Each structure stands twice: as C-alpha cells, then as structure tokens.
Amino acid sequence: MPELTLTEELDSILEKYTSNIPNRLHGAAFSAVNTKGSEILYSQALGLRTLPNQDASPLQLDSTMWIGSITKLQTCMACMTGLERGLFTLDTNVREIVPELKSIDLLAGFEDGDFPRKPITKPCTSPITLRQLLTHTSGMIYDYGHDGLKEWSAYHGIKDNTFSGTLKGYTKPLIYEPGQGWAYSPGMDWAGRLLEVTSGLSLEEFLKQTIWDKLGMKSTTFRPDLRPDIQARRMAMASRNRQTMEITQGVVPQEAQGSFAPDCCGGVGLYSTIEDCTRVLQALGSKNPMLMTAESYELLTTPQLPSNEHFLKVIRGVGQGHLGQTWDTGAEGTFGFGSSIIQQDFVGRRVAGSCNWSGMPGTHCWLDKKTGIGGMLTTQILPPGDPMVTQLLLELEKCLYRHIRG
C-alpha cells in the first residue's frame, strides 16, 4: 500500500477529529507554511461551522471566528511598528501616557470578615513599562485567574471583568510590583490602548493601516457586528462538559450579555479567519518588509525575561492546562514579546527557539524560526485547553514534521 502524501495524511487526521470519533469537534481548520520559501504547505477546513443540531453548514477557510489571545500577536507586531515610528520606547512609563493606569494600586490583602471583605491596597508608584506589558511582568493578572481580584471587584460592586470586552474590566489593582513576577495578564490590552493614545487612531484603524491592508486581510476586526459579511460566515461556539465530554452550544464570553465588546481589546478581542491569520504567520516568518524592519521581527521573537523562574512556575502549575498544554512535559522555555519560546527541541515536532501563541477557544499557532515551518489550528470550543484540540494539534504537527524530515 503506497504511503499517504502529506495532504492525504493531514486530511485524514482532521477528518477523524471532526467526523469519526465520539464527542468530536464540530469543525476545525489547519494551515502549515514554509516561511523560508513563502510556501503554503497545507490549508484545509473540515467539519461544520454550525453545531450538529443546527442547519448543517460546512466550515470553510474563510469562515470567521473569535481568535482570543492570538490577538496578542498582532498587537505586539503593531507595537513594533509604534517603536519604529517613535511613538514610544520599550522603557516608556505607560502610566504617564495612559490615564487609566496612573493611579493603579497594589492589592496587599483583605481585612477580616465575611465575603466580600474590605481590600487592603498599597500605593504603587513604580513605572509600568511597555516592555513589562508585552512580557506579562507588569504586575497585572486577568481576574478570572485570581480570587483576590474577584473579591476586590465584589467589594466595590464592579461588574466589569476579563470577559466584559471593556478596558474597565482590566482596571484592577496589581498583584505584585512591576517587574517582580510573571502572570498571564491584560498587558497587551493596555499596550493596545497605548497605541491608541499615542497615534490618535483606534486600535482597529491602527491594525488596519499597518497590518491588515498591507497583507490583504479583509476578514479581521474587533467589531463583527458592524460587518454583516463577517457575521454571515461566523463559526458557532461550542462548549464541552469535561466530565461527559459532550458538546453543546457555547458563547463567546464578551458576547454573553447580548452585545459586542465596546473597546478594542488588544489581548483578546479579534475575530478573523484562518486565511487571514496564516498571512500574518507568513509575514512573521519571512520578515515581510512591508510591515516592519528585520530588526523588529527579530526583537519580537527573541527571549525577553531576565529569569525564567516565574514564567515556568506558572506554565508548569496553574497555567499548564491552558498556556502549557501543547508543550512537552517538563520542557524548558521562556517568554518573548507576546509569545512563549521553547529552549529545547520537542520530540518529533518544532525545535528550540520556536515561538507559539494560543487562544481560549482552541486557536493555536507556532513559528519554528530554525526550519521556517509554521502552523495554525483554529476551532471554536470552550473552556480553554480542550484536550481533544490539544491531541489534534500534536498529531497534525508530528505528521507535518515527519513528512518534512523525510
């Protein structure tokens, strides 16, 4: 029996996870690129963009979806452009420019009492730099992962949170002094706000001018409600019960109240297609000069942490199920501007120096700088860290590298 081609084998893997196994994904798309040769090695969407109990509509490469934290990659690229234009530096104290951050305090604890207890906060006047925002070392954290910030919000009667789609939802106290730890955070959301204040443009318009128009990306936006063409191609969000593994109707968190996010949240807010996201991946790998200089591309994908201690503690601990889900067990790694960076080869997969980004609803991409290979997987399923999505990515990536390495 002849050996399957790369396309045939990748097709069979995608088909298995979208058609042939119990509690399967309703749809998934995968693309693979060789950025050194500007070549698309594979691009396919299989399954449905609708859920099984809805009118069947096949998933297409131009189907639109919420990409979650893959947004961070584009915001970081825009910040490199801002650096080149002299809008700010990596060591700019954003508290002096972004008014919402000027008086952020440090959460030190709570007084005794019943929930919600009175918070104890301490003044924090330390600078918060753009470098810290882009590396998750600013002292901020998403409140969904921190009970103290949830209690702080409850005490003050603040309903805006990580999933409100508002910058007010990220205006919460710091949990450590800037530069003294690592926590997955809304740093990129505030970096996007810095771009707005310094450029005089909305983040939507800044990204459109500096990335989307130049790469021919016509299906990427923070506000799909203003684009009927994008809404008509939306992939349905699914939700998995982790005990039974059954899949039912889900909802994009910032749409849960029946409306779309009012702010351009540079960490989580974009809607896009695998076609558009693949264009970004190609530009990043080939260092497309239309967007930024080669030096900026290199800066974007270079390790930035002075120590990996705090980062590794998170992704090997509380963040393993989401942030570290596709990493080999116990792998060494660090963090750059918006991306995780591995420091050892993964078995049968990407090699040391590779960068990766991921988003809550089962969106993943990586760039292997040494070989020039990059990949992008998209679907729409919550909660984050879906084990079937992780297994699908591993099989696709191992298949890709096996064929490339002969």
Side-chain angles (χ1 to χ4, degrees), residues 2 22 35 44 55 77 93 100 105-106 132 137 175 215 227 253 258 290 306 308 310 329 355 368 404:
T35 57
Q44 180 66 281
D55 291 339
M77 292 173 71
N93 181 6
E100 297 96 325
D105 290 329
L106 181 70
Q132 291 167 344
T137 58
I175 63 167
L215 297 182
R227 290 280 303 277
M290 287 197 304
N308 299 334
H310 299 297
T329 303
C355 304
D368 186 331
I404 289 170

Side-chain angles (χ1 to χ4, degrees), residues 136-208:
H136 295 302
T137 58
S138 64
M140 301 175 184
I141 191 172
Y142 283 121
D143 61 7
Y144 74 85
H146 196 272
D147 290 339
L149 290 189
K150 293 177 184 177
E151 189 166 3
W152 179 90
S153 296
Y155 180 84
H156 290 289
I158 296 173
K159 298 186 181 300
D160 289 78
N161 56 55
T162 294
F163 302 118
S164 299
T166 63
L167 290 172
K168 186 177 180 181
Y170 305 133
T171 312
K172 306 289 174 74
L174 306 178
I175 63 167
Y176 58 83
E177 286 281 345
Q180 301 304 307
W182 194 94
Y184 199 53
S185 73
M188 257 59 85
D189 301 274
W190 289 114
R193 180 64 178 142
L194 176 67
L195 281 165
E196 291 185 329
V197 174
T198 56
S199 71
L201 302 172
S202 69
L203 187 56
E204 171 103 8
E205 186 58 33
F206 193 91
L207 288 171
K208 185 175 186 297

Side-chain angles (χ1 to χ4, degrees), residues 45-311:
L46 290 178
L48 303 174
R49 67 175 181 85
T50 49
L51 293 174
N53 60 345
Q54 300 171 340
D55 291 339
S57 181
L59 185 68
Q60 307 282 356
L61 292 173
D62 68 348
S63 296
T64 52
M65 58 195 75
W66 176 49
I67 63 172
S69 287
I70 299 291
T71 303
K72 291 177 170 66
L73 169 57
Q74 296 189 34
T75 299
C76 286
M77 292 173 71
C79 285
M80 297 300 107
T81 302
L83 290 171
E84 291 181 5
R85 295 183 177 185
L87 298 181
F88 37 70
T89 71
L90 287 171
D91 297 314
T92 291
N93 181 6
V94 297
R95 303 182 76 163
E96 296 177 349
I97 300 174
V98 178
E100 297 96 325
L101 298 181
K102 185 175 182 179
S103 58
I104 295 291
D105 290 329
L106 181 70
L107 181 62
F110 294 87
E111 296 183 0
D112 293 336
D114 296 329
F115 182 92
R117 298 167 294 173
K118 183 178 180 180
I120 301 171
T121 57
K122 295 181 178 179
C124 178
T125 58
S126 300
I128 297 176
T129 67
L130 175 61
R131 187 188 304 274
Q132 291 167 344
L133 293 180
L134 298 183
T135 57
H136 295 302
T137 58
S138 64
M140 301 175 184
I141 191 172
Y142 283 121
D143 61 7
Y144 74 85
H146 196 272
D147 290 339
L149 290 189
K150 293 177 184 177
E151 189 166 3
W152 179 90
S153 296
Y155 180 84
H156 290 289
I158 296 173
K159 298 186 181 300
D160 289 78
N161 56 55
T162 294
F163 302 118
S164 299
T166 63
L167 290 172
K168 186 177 180 181
Y170 305 133
T171 312
K172 306 289 174 74
L174 306 178
I175 63 167
Y176 58 83
E177 286 281 345
Q180 301 304 307
W182 194 94
Y184 199 53
S185 73
M188 257 59 85
D189 301 274
W190 289 114
R193 180 64 178 142
L194 176 67
L195 281 165
E196 291 185 329
V197 174
T198 56
S199 71
L201 302 172
S202 69
L203 187 56
E204 171 103 8
E205 186 58 33
F206 193 91
L207 288 171
K208 185 175 186 297
Q209 290 184 15
T210 59
I211 300 177
W212 304 342
D213 286 350
K214 293 181 179 181
L215 297 182
M217 297 167 59
K218 301 184 183 300
S219 298
T220 303
T221 183
F222 287 100
R223 293 296 301 272
D225 53 315
L226 303 179
R227 290 280 303 277
D229 60 316
I230 285 180
Q231 279 291 74
R233 291 178 275 130
R234 285 279 301 277
M235 185 181 185
M237 181 63 69
S239 177
R240 189 189 297 280
N241 183 313
R242 290 289 177 83
Q243 277 68 50
T244 66
M245 295 301 287
E246 292 180 320
I247 289 179
T248 56
Q249 177 75 51
V251 62
V252 176
Q254 61 260 36
E255 298 176 28
Q257 305 302 317
S259 60
F260 285 83
D263 294 328
C264 296
C265 295
V268 297
L270 283 179
Y271 297 74
S272 190
T273 67
I274 194 168
E275 287 181 322
D276 276 6
C277 288
T278 301
R279 290 186 176 98
V280 174
L281 194 60
Q282 286 181 290
L284 185 62
S286 64
K287 299 182 180 179
N288 189 327
M290 287 197 304
L291 303 190
M292 63 183 83
T293 65
E295 291 76 17
S296 290
Y297 281 111
E298 189 61 29
L299 181 65
L300 181 67
T301 56
T302 297
Q304 298 295 329
L305 300 182
S307 168
N308 299 334
E309 176 187 359
H310 299 297
F311 168 70

